[in-house]
Amino acid sequence: MARVITPRARIGYTAAAWIVALTLFFPILYTIITSLKTEQEAIAGFRMIPSFTLSSFEAVQNQNNYWRPFTNSVILAVGSTLVALVVGIPAAWAMAFSPTKNTRGILMWMLSTKMMPAVAVLVPIYLIFLRTGLMDTRTGLIIVLMLMNLPIVIWMLYTYFREIPGEILEAARMDGASLKDEILYVLTPMAIPGIASTMLLNVILAWNEAFWTIQLTTTNAAPLSAFIASFSSPQGLFWAKLSAASVMAIAPILIMGWFSQKQLVRGLTFGAVK
Amino acid sequence: MATRQTAGLARLMRAPAIILLLIWMIVPLGMTLYYSFLNYNLLNPANVSWAGWFNYQYFYTDPAFFAAIRNTLVLVLGVLTITVVLGIAIALLIDKPIWGQGIVRILIISPFFVMPPVAALIWKNMIMHPSYGVFADIARFLGLQPVDWFAQYPLTSIIIIVAWQWLPFATLILLTALQSLDGEQMEAAEMDGAGPVSRFIHLTLPHLARAITVVVLIQTIFLLGIYAEILVTTNGGPGNASTNLTYLIYRAARLNFDIGGAAAGGIIAVILANIVAIFLMRAVGKNLD
């Protein structure tokens, strides 16, 4: 904003903004602090300075069953995103570069599948999984997560592809580029940033998904979201360890999220807010 | 540009996505609809019979159903009110020139990336726990009796947790919209002697209207499906005090093995979500060129 602002007002705004930001961030900060405490310290009352012990992280990692959900989370998030891209890129590409009369209608319909509440199809999906042996398998969950995110993948890619200027393609053709050259040297480099952002947002969404992962897994294919939800039943006050496990579960995605704020706005609102 | 050859290729490229999504939509929904008319209990799968409207009737007369509908509405409206009002306030604040804007934004957006079970456990154990939580410590410091949040105010507690998770989303969307506000118009209004309140009501708020609509509709879709937060904290209780429609259907299907009843509940959820979706599609559709 171009308007002049007094230094005093600026200090006031800054102070207020930091208080709000730290208040909202506090639960995460406090979890990080707790993960660095000993178990006795963790329940000994409010204290912001931990003893800085990594023993909780060590304990969580030494539990054999921690790395399995972690690996599952990585495989499910990355796997479902890659399959969605393999299916979504050609579809978005076709709709962006050779649109037909009903392209708009198809896009809206795809978006509408996203509105279907998960719980409405819980019964059939659960039964199908039971009968086909997909229950508690990574394959089964990759399929469901992929279908869940496919409309967002297509919408995001579509909006990105639409922004690639057609003149560049025409210029390349004038210079005698073949279809292969066009795709390889002109379109692909311009499409990669869009594909990368789409991938980022979908990994985040798949990593944090909790309804299907809890319903369709028990131990074998359970990712971190389901693994951590299983701590809800009381099993003593292992808060430092729980905090360490939580920090390890959210850290990678938190950092990815910080880098993808802009894509988030675009991807989740389907470009309706600029 | 679209020759016959490329048009054929385009159709081929679109086909897999369309077919997959078509199957994903029609097969399970069709099955849900079919099951909703059956007497079908997984514990007794040999004994399946046609139930007609019984499952719907059962839902309709079950007091738990009304509690769940009421809780769903309170949860959605509560979270929407908190996130939209605070979201506007925070967006206005961090749109001002402040020191450390980048870090402030990162801190504010963070809760959105915490997976729901972790968010719920953090609040349950670290913040709202009646003896060891931070709120209890604060209460004791002030000489008050600590509150047993999940026993005394189960639904309110869940609203607080969910609002914490969705406030970043609302703030980010509203901030994005705010940044496209015409600064010159603002200045002109200020020159004409419009105070901050009247500028907010007559310029800022109308400008944000579209973003607010989008926030409300998208959040509603997700908020109707709140599940992990309830599972981890209250299990829907005490009684049905924090059971929403999603949780009620989950309970029927997975804990009572009542396939028919859960399917009927699922169809009701579809109808509710569709009412919201129609509005959302209109809002988004307008933006499509």
Side-chain angles (χ1 to χ4, degrees), chain A:
Chain A
M1 231 179 270
R3 273 183 303 155
V4 190
I5 181 161
T6 62
R8 217 169 139 187
R10 188 169 180 164
I11 291 170
Y13 288 137
T14 303
W18 274 90
I19 289 169
V20 169
L22 288 173
T23 306
L24 286 177
F25 190 69
F26 178 78
I28 300 173
L29 180 68
Y30 200 60
T31 306
I32 299 172
I33 290 172
T34 306
S35 72
L36 298 169
K37 290 177 177 176
T38 61
E39 288 297 348
Q40 292 91 321
E41 232 185 321
I43 55 165
F46 183 73
R47 205 183 310 163
M48 286 299 277
I49 309 293
S51 57
F52 292 106
T53 168
L54 290 175
S55 61
S56 297
F57 284 94
E58 221 169 289
V60 170
Q61 288 187 49
N62 287 339
Q63 268 181 333
N64 295 331
N65 63 352
Y66 177 79
W67 287 108
R68 187 162 184 95
F70 185 86
T71 318
N72 284 338
S73 269
V74 174
I75 293 175
L76 293 176
V78 175
S80 65
T81 302
L82 287 183
V83 181
L85 284 175
V86 168
V87 179
I89 290 174
W93 190 276
M95 287 195 269
F97 292 117
S98 35
T100 59
K101 272 194 304 256
N102 48 24
T103 294
R104 187 195 149 102
I106 291 175
L107 275 166
M108 291 310 282
W109 162 73
M110 284 179 167
L111 186 56
S112 77
T113 65
K114 194 71 204 136
M115 317 288 163
M116 188 168 68
V119 75
V121 293
L122 168 64
V123 165
I125 299 291
Y126 184 73
L127 292 180
I128 291 172
F129 268 54
L130 274 183
R131 280 169 200 168
T132 52
L134 283 174
M135 192 56 85
D136 204 16
T137 63
R138 290 164 179 168
T139 318
L141 219 48
I142 285 181
I143 296 171
V144 168
L145 292 179
M146 183 274 280
L147 288 167
M148 227 182 54
N149 286 334
L150 188 57
I152 297 186
V153 167
I154 293 176
W155 263 83
M156 274 187 83
L157 289 172
Y158 173 80
T159 35
Y160 277 112
F161 290 163
R162 287 290 306 250
E163 282 162 21
I164 297 178
E167 294 84 36
I168 291 187
L169 208 59
E170 271 163 46
R173 275 184 202 162
M174 299 283 256
D175 293 342
S178 68
L179 184 66
K180 192 184 129 225
D181 292 340
E182 265 175 38
I183 291 176
L184 216 58
Y185 301 112
V186 184
L187 290 175
T188 307
M190 297 191 72
I192 279 177
I195 295 175
S197 332
T198 308
M199 205 165 121
L200 205 63
L201 179 61
N202 277 275
V203 167
I204 294 172
L205 290 177
W207 183 281
N208 287 341
E209 214 294 316
F211 181 78
W212 288 117
T213 56
I214 293 172
Q215 300 304 330
L216 301 177
T217 63
T218 46
T219 47
N220 272 332
L224 287 166
S225 52
F227 175 73
I228 293 202
S230 70
F231 281 116
S232 60
S233 43
Q235 29 182 269
L237 298 167
F238 298 111
W239 289 359
K241 279 185 210 68
L242 178 63
S243 298
S246 298
V247 169
M248 284 157 76
I250 62 174
I253 287 315
L254 202 56
I255 293 163
M256 280 174 86
W258 290 342
F259 286 107
S260 57
Q261 296 176 46
K262 286 212 178 74
Q263 288 85 307
L264 179 85
V265 174
R266 192 174 184 167
L268 286 180
T269 65
F270 308 103
V273 174
K274 277 169 189 148

